[in-house]
Amino acid sequence: MRRQPVVIESSTGRVVPKSAAATSAPVAWEHIDPRAQRAGRLASSSTAQTGGHGPARGSEYAVLLRRVRQAGLLDRRLRYYAWKSAVTAVAFVAGWAAFVLVGDSWWQLGVAAFLAVVFAQIAFLGHDAGHRQIFGSRRANYLFGVIAGNLGIGLSIGWWVSNHNRHHAHPNTEGADPDVMGVLAHSGDRAREGKGFRRLIFRYQGWLFFPMLFLEAGSLHYASVRAVLRWAIPNRIWEAVLLAAHAAGYLAAVFLVLSPGKAVAFIVVQQGLFGFYMGCTFAPNHKGMEVLAEGESTDFLRRQVLTSRNVRGGWLVDAALGGLNYQIEHHLFPSMPRANLRRAQPMVEEFCLELQVPYCQTGLLDSYRQALSHLHTVGKLARPLPLG
């Protein structure tokens, strides 16, 4: 059974239900789901929405925002992104050059694994562009995103921004966050409501989670194509053209160099590992953290902190997870350049300690253990399958 969400009042130290908490919700990023604005779930201050002058001075988040801004942690890091993009581009070109040189050989499965990692690194850069972490200009970030996403790895940046912004506005909120309304059940209520094949998935989701990640890339490609065909995303024609160019170039290269059997094996390995890698970076972020009911009210800072988990590690973990291991800081400041998240982490943790707001941080393996344990516990609440 899901725990009743609570918050700790900074002034009195009392533990109270979130539904009884104050509902100020300052927003520090530019991408806000219009439906959320109309519903009044987020702060209505225009300066808060644009990040121009921050939210009202009286809010706790405003205090943290001022500290972060004064430390220069919201400033652009163009040099960082220049070398990061250059290294990733070189790896991308090198991977396809190796593909051509190796030729019609089963050794191509090793190249497929390498390109899966490179595709994920490109996806991280597209993620940063979608949050406007790279450039100050909306247009420049969008152009970077469509080149990296649509053309580079076959994922629509327009679809991703729309979908991902809903997640940031309502993290771990059933009925509002698309990331918790997919194939898995994150709360007992949803697990008990599962029917048919979905009930089967819910029941065994703890065991099925990692195997299903190999299908993640296919799901992302499908969602991208569906979005450019059906959604009213900006520049949908150009996005569709670039997605088609990626698919044509990818398939032509694979089937021209490899025999049909090896070509299919290459695609399965490369796309399977790409999806698995992406899924493994998402798993620690929110699974096993507080799940909120739709319409449940809490302030912006607690909504982001209590539903997110950080993953400790050095530069290797930072690089492997694309900075998403600083999930709390990223959710509080989505436009903060990736390179600054590590510097912001101790500042945010200290601030949460001042407010007595729980701040979750753990190791990589333990984050997976917590996520799987949560999925397994929730899955057992799904109705047993009928016998016979």
Side-chain angles (χ1 to χ4, degrees), residues 167 172 186 209-210 213 276-290 305-312 317 320-321 324-328 331 360-372 374-375:
H167 160 69
N172 267 25
H186 294 264
F209 176 70
F210 280 114
L213 290 185
F276 184 81
Y277 184 175
M278 294 301 295
C280 285
T281 65
F282 302 152
N285 299 343
H286 301 282
K287 291 176 176 59
M289 299 304 294
E290 190 67 68
V305 174
L306 296 176
T307 60
S308 303
R309 177 193 294 111
N310 274 16
V311 177
R312 287 190 297 265
V317 171
L321 300 187
L324 297 179
N325 48 313
Y326 300 105
Q327 192 67 197
I328 295 174
H331 262 257
C360 183
Q361 185 169 222
T362 186
L364 182 61
L365 294 181
D366 192 51
S367 72
Y368 292 133
R369 181 194 62 78
Q370 291 180 27
L372 288 177
H374 173 75
L375 292 176

Side-chain angles (χ1 to χ4, degrees), residues 70-83:
Q70 289 169 1
L73 299 180
L74 295 178
D75 297 343
R76 300 304 94 193
R77 294 289 299 273
L78 289 178
R79 287 188 179 181
Y80 168 82
Y81 279 110
W83 75 257

Side-chain angles (χ1 to χ4, degrees), residues 220-282:
L220 295 173
H221 291 308
Y222 171 75
S224 294
V225 172
R226 183 180 60 179
V228 298
L229 292 178
R230 298 182 181 179
W231 292 16
I233 61 175
N235 307 304
R236 58 186 297 190
I237 294 179
W238 283 111
E239 291 218 17
V241 168
L242 290 175
L243 285 179
H246 167 83
Y250 181 93
L251 295 175
V254 171
F255 281 96
L256 285 175
V257 172
L258 302 178
S259 62
K262 292 188 182 73
V264 171
F266 178 91
I267 293 172
V268 168
V269 171
Q270 198 270 328
Q271 292 292 313
L273 290 179
F274 169 43
F276 184 81
Y277 184 175
M278 294 301 295
C280 285
T281 65
F282 302 152

Side-chain angles (χ1 to χ4, degrees), residues 16-315:
V16 298
K18 285 184 180 176
S19 58
T23 59
S24 62
V27 180
W29 71 97
E30 299 88 344
H31 312 305
I32 304 173
D33 182 3
R35 290 175 297 179
Q37 294 183 39
R38 288 193 295 270
R41 297 187 183 117
L42 302 180
S44 60
S45 166
S46 60
T47 56
Q49 292 172 5
T50 61
H53 300 288
R57 284 185 170 273
S59 75
E60 293 166 335
Y61 178 75
V63 176
L64 178 61
L65 177 61
R66 283 195 295 272
R67 294 182 187 180
V68 166
R69 182 173 288 140
Q70 289 169 1
L73 299 180
L74 295 178
D75 297 343
R76 300 304 94 193
R77 294 289 299 273
L78 289 178
R79 287 188 179 181
Y80 168 82
Y81 279 110
W83 75 257
K84 193 76 174 178
S85 300
V87 169
T88 305
V90 168
F92 181 81
V93 172
W96 285 112
F99 174 82
V100 174
L101 292 174
V102 171
D104 191 17
S105 167
W106 287 108
W107 287 107
Q108 290 284 18
L109 298 185
V111 178
F114 175 77
L115 284 173
V117 175
V118 174
F119 271 40
Q121 292 297 320
I122 294 174
F124 294 147
L125 288 170
H127 167 272
D128 293 359
H131 279 299
R132 304 183 194 171
Q133 295 177 15
I134 303 178
F135 304 103
S137 162
R138 178 197 297 264
R139 181 178 178 82
N141 281 299
Y142 179 75
L143 289 175
F144 188 102
V146 293
I147 293 172
N150 295 58
L151 185 60
I153 59 176
L155 302 182
S156 164
I157 189 67
W159 161 76
W160 179 86
V161 167
S162 175
N163 195 70
H164 195 61
N165 288 342
R166 290 164 57 200
H167 160 69
H168 267 266
H170 307 286
N172 267 25
T173 303
E174 292 196 324
D177 180 0
D179 288 1
V180 297
M181 299 305 294
V183 70
L184 302 176
H186 294 264
S187 72
D189 290 342
R190 187 154 191 262
R192 284 185 285 267
E193 293 171 358
K195 298 178 181 179
F197 183 69
R198 175 160 290 185
R199 179 173 55 164
L200 177 64
I201 297 294
F202 289 170
R203 185 75 177 173
Y204 300 104
Q205 63 183 7
W207 298 100
L208 295 173
F209 176 70
F210 280 114
M212 287 193 300
L213 290 185
F214 289 103
L215 304 176
E216 179 69 13
S219 175
L220 295 173
H221 291 308
Y222 171 75
S224 294
V225 172
R226 183 180 60 179
V228 298
L229 292 178
R230 298 182 181 179
W231 292 16
I233 61 175
N235 307 304
R236 58 186 297 190
I237 294 179
W238 283 111
E239 291 218 17
V241 168
L242 290 175
L243 285 179
H246 167 83
Y250 181 93
L251 295 175
V254 171
F255 281 96
L256 285 175
V257 172
L258 302 178
S259 62
K262 292 188 182 73
V264 171
F266 178 91
I267 293 172
V268 168
V269 171
Q270 198 270 328
Q271 292 292 313
L273 290 179
F274 169 43
F276 184 81
Y277 184 175
M278 294 301 295
C280 285
T281 65
F282 302 152
N285 299 343
H286 301 282
K287 291 176 176 59
M289 299 304 294
E290 190 67 68
V291 177
L292 309 177
E294 187 174 12
E296 192 170 323
S297 59
T298 186
D299 64 277
F300 174 75
L301 185 145
R302 287 168 177 79
R303 182 164 69 244
Q304 304 301 333
V305 174
L306 296 176
T307 60
S308 303
R309 177 193 294 111
N310 274 16
V311 177
R312 287 190 297 265
W315 67 269

